[in-house]
Amino acid sequence: MGALLSVFGCNGEEELTSNPVFEEKWPLFEKKMMEAGLNEAAMNAFKYNFQVLTSGKDLTIPESSISAVSRLPKYSDLKQENAALLQSTVMVKLNGGLGTGMGLDKAKSLLPLKGKNTFLDFIAQQVVYMRKKFNVELAFILMNSFATSSDTIAHLKKYKGLASPTLPLEFVQNKAPKVLKADLTPAVWPHKRDHEWCPPGHGDLYPALLGSGMLKQLQEEGFKYMFVSNSDNLGATMDLKLLTWFANSGAPFAMEVADRTEADKKGGHLARSNKTGGLLLRESAQCPEADEKAFQNVSKHKFFNTNNLWINIQELQASFEKFGGALPLPVISNEKTVDPRDKKSPAVLQLETAMGAAIECFPGAQAILIPRTRFAPVKTTADMLALMSDAYDVTEDFRMELKPERNGIPPNIKLDGCYKFVDDMMALVKNGPPSLIKCTKLTIEGKMVFDKNVVFEGEVKVVNSGDSSKKLKTGTYTNTTVEL
């Protein structure tokens, strides 16, 4: 995980000024970005991030500066639905991730989940379903990255008319220069020039909308609202009750949050600034060490960000104007190697931002408590295995949802490190995914392959201590440890 370097914040509490390191190094990045043809919004965003990196300041959010959020509006209380609002709403899916942590070199959304249906297939079917149900041309756009664009567009060609008549199917997120850790200069890698660049995190949604001209086009076409979610979260789709609530609230920005459990205690949480009274997100890297116990207290800090966001398009334009063309989001520095597959290549810093942190840039922003059914992301091969199994069902509107028998609790899956990459996990289940509908916890240690029709119930652990792969035979395994 990256370390959060500084939070200068949308509230203007800290003036970010130039410093000698920035003044010396910035011209090198400026030249590189101009030669690559990056737009002004992309350059402004990276410039701000690089200023934060070189500032030497380390601002945290201490417990004494915030208050816990105790009550929020609930999705379960929403009743109103105004289908007319769909005409002025655009659904945006973030699809820039390569899934490198899962060993991929293509869009994670191209992975098959149920039969031959990929994430992208489910998303396309969600859009088609909404259009038919409400007889409206629901606008749909993808934010791709330079690494996912071509494969994604090629895959979606089979869905005729998926793109809206007046809008392109995609806009492409910006790329940012990787920063050499050793001397804070632009990374150079002649072996493969693409490795000198990285995606700047999903916080790039905002400068990418601005710099691509998409924000201007949406306003010219009369769009008022935007729903944004990640392509790897098949629980999140356009929801008319939420849209109606957001429009009626008059809020400039709203975040869907879910109840924080013990399993979520190390992740960020929603809070309220004592200084401004506005909502903010506090990530673990922003928490002083002395406040870690309070940070992990899920009965106090109850809610976490699902990255399902609702944005008033005109208010987003106003925020850009207020902050001079770059939203001052917290900057995250992820340390990697310039060649992700060559751990001996030079160490670099990838400067990223998170889109949910923008909640503090919008006075009057709101949050709403949603059921966990709208949050089913795939970040690991264990997440993917769960969704492939019978613990999840495909709903009428093509969402992936836990079956009622699970009572909102997904199976707890612990896979050996040898299954970190998708290819290895797929080899494990090459005869079909196991049944997990009655499984509480599954632990897999060692090399193996499941036979067809394997059923796990309760808490099951399967261990192979040998060096060669072994087969787990067809059968039902209940509350047991199996030694292969």
Side-chain angles (χ1 to χ4, degrees):
M1 294 295 290
L4 192 127
L5 296 163
S6 188
V7 185
F8 294 91
C10 295
N11 298 314
E13 294 158 347
E14 179 76 19
E15 184 72 22
L16 181 59
T17 57
S18 294
N19 60 78
V21 177
F22 172 81
E23 296 292 346
E24 177 190 354
K25 310 289 186 181
W26 169 246
L28 301 175
F29 288 96
E30 185 176 38
K31 180 174 183 289
K32 185 181 183 78
M33 297 174 82
M34 290 182 70
E35 288 175 347
L38 270 65
N39 60 59
E40 183 180 5
M43 293 182 67
N44 283 341
F46 181 81
K47 183 178 182 179
Y48 174 83
N49 295 346
F50 191 64
Q51 281 182 279
V52 173
L53 176 70
T54 57
S55 69
K57 296 181 180 179
D58 182 16
L59 303 183
T60 59
I61 302 177
E63 189 71 15
S64 59
S65 71
I66 60 174
S67 298
V69 178
S70 57
R71 297 181 65 185
L72 288 173
K74 295 180 181 180
Y75 178 84
S76 57
D77 292 335
L78 301 184
K79 306 297 181 187
Q80 289 185 296
E81 292 186 349
N82 182 358
L85 292 168
L86 292 169
Q87 297 279 9
S88 56
T89 303
V90 60
M91 175 177 168
V92 178
K93 281 285 183 177
L94 305 190
N95 190 54
L98 280 179
T100 52
M102 296 167 68
L104 300 175
D105 57 3
K106 62 180 181 180
K108 183 173 29 171
S109 57
L110 289 170
L111 289 171
L113 275 177
K114 296 281 191 183
K116 293 183 179 180
N117 277 337
T118 67
F119 290 85
L120 282 175
D121 291 310
F122 280 112
I123 291 167
Q125 290 163 359
Q126 289 173 5
V127 174
V128 172
Y129 174 86
M130 288 292 292
R131 288 174 175 174
K132 287 182 178 179
K133 181 176 180 179
F134 294 103
N135 192 27
V136 63
E137 191 60 52
L138 174 64
F140 169 66
I141 306 174
L142 289 156
M143 184 175 85
N144 285 321
S145 68
F146 59 92
T148 64
S149 176
S150 59
D151 285 349
T152 293
I153 298 302
H155 186 84
L156 290 176
K157 281 183 177 177
K158 60 186 175 182
Y159 295 98
K160 305 299 181 185
L162 187 61
S164 303
T166 60
L167 295 172
L169 184 56
E170 69 165 1
F171 64 100
V172 178
Q173 73 178 87
N174 299 307
K175 58 183 181 180
K178 293 179 181 178
V179 182
L180 274 179
K181 184 183 178 184
D183 61 4
L184 301 185
T185 60
V188 177
W189 197 244
H191 307 293
K192 192 174 183 182
R193 290 293 183 182
D194 281 353
H195 286 334
E196 297 175 8
W197 301 87
C198 63
H202 45 62
D204 185 58
L205 167 71
Y206 309 111
L209 281 167
L210 181 65
S212 67
M214 181 60 72
L215 183 60
K216 180 180 180 182
Q217 186 174 357
L218 289 172
Q219 292 176 85
E220 289 175 346
E221 297 286 347
F223 289 96
K224 297 178 180 179
Y225 310 108
M226 180 185 301
F227 169 62
V228 187
S229 60
N230 294 335
S231 65
D232 68 1
N233 179 11
L234 291 178
T237 189
M238 177 64 68
D239 185 284
L240 194 50
K241 286 182 180 179
L242 282 166
L243 171 59
T244 305
W245 165 80
F246 178 62
N248 289 344
S249 75
F253 183 102
M255 174 186 293
E256 296 181 30
V257 300
D259 283 317
R260 204 163 167 240
T261 68
E262 282 298 309
D264 310 307
K265 68 180 182 181
K266 293 185 179 180
H269 65 79
L270 190 69
R272 195 173 294 280
S273 166
N274 288 341
K275 183 171 183 179
T276 68
L279 294 172
L280 57 81
L281 283 181
R282 182 171 69 161
E283 302 291 347
S284 59
Q286 292 172 273
C287 179
E289 191 174 335
D291 291 336
E292 186 175 346
K293 185 175 180 181
F295 179 92
Q296 295 188 11
N297 184 348
V298 298
S299 62
K300 179 179 183 181
H301 295 299
K302 299 178 179 180
F303 309 113
F304 73 89
N305 171 29
T306 64
N307 242 22
N308 302 341
L309 305 178
W310 298 83
I311 301 169
N312 181 302
I313 292 172
Q314 189 58 50
E315 292 288 350
L316 177 58
Q317 177 67 45
S319 287
F320 274 120
E321 293 169 2
K322 175 181 177 181
F323 294 112
L327 299 187
L329 302 180
V331 181
I332 300 169
S333 173
N334 276 315
E335 185 173 336
K336 308 271 187 176
T337 51
V338 66
D339 182 344
R341 294 179 176 271
D342 181 2
K343 299 308 177 186
K344 294 182 180 179
S345 61
V348 294
L349 304 176
Q350 297 185 185
L351 304 186
E352 303 176 6
T353 57
M355 66 179 184
I359 194 169
E360 65 179 282
C361 297
F362 296 90
Q366 295 199 31
I368 186 166
L369 179 63
I370 60 162
R372 203 88 177 208
T373 51
R374 284 184 62 80
F375 185 66
V378 173
K379 303 301 180 187
T380 65
T381 52
D383 296 334
M384 186 174 170
L385 177 58
L387 262 70
M388 291 172 68
S389 80
D390 58 355
Y392 283 83
D393 210 351
V394 180
T395 63
E396 179 188 9
D397 56 351
F398 297 98
R399 288 180 301 110
M400 198 76 78
E401 190 173 291
L402 272 172
K403 287 185 176 175
E405 302 96 299
R406 297 294 315 181
N407 294 315
I409 302 173
N412 183 356
I413 302 175
K414 305 292 184 184
L415 295 181
D416 191 299
C418 66
Y419 302 108
K420 178 181 179 182
F421 294 156
V422 170
D423 289 351
D424 297 314
M425 191 277 289
M426 294 298 283
L428 173 71
V429 297
K430 67 180 183 180
N431 298 311
S435 170
L436 299 175
I437 185 67
K438 296 181 180 179
C439 180
T440 308
K441 182 176 182 180
L442 174 64
T443 304
I444 302 296
E445 295 180 2
K447 298 177 182 178
M448 66 189 74
V449 60
F450 298 154
D451 209 342
K452 61 182 180 180
N453 300 323
V454 168
V455 178
F456 296 118
E457 298 180 348
E459 293 195 14
V460 181
K461 183 175 185 178
V462 187
V463 180
N464 175 21
S465 301
D467 294 329
S468 58
S469 180
K470 295 183 179 179
K471 179 178 283 189
L472 180 67
K473 295 180 180 180
T474 300
T476 298
Y477 301 88
T478 305
N479 293 320
T480 185
T481 296
V482 181
E483 297 273 356
L484 295 180

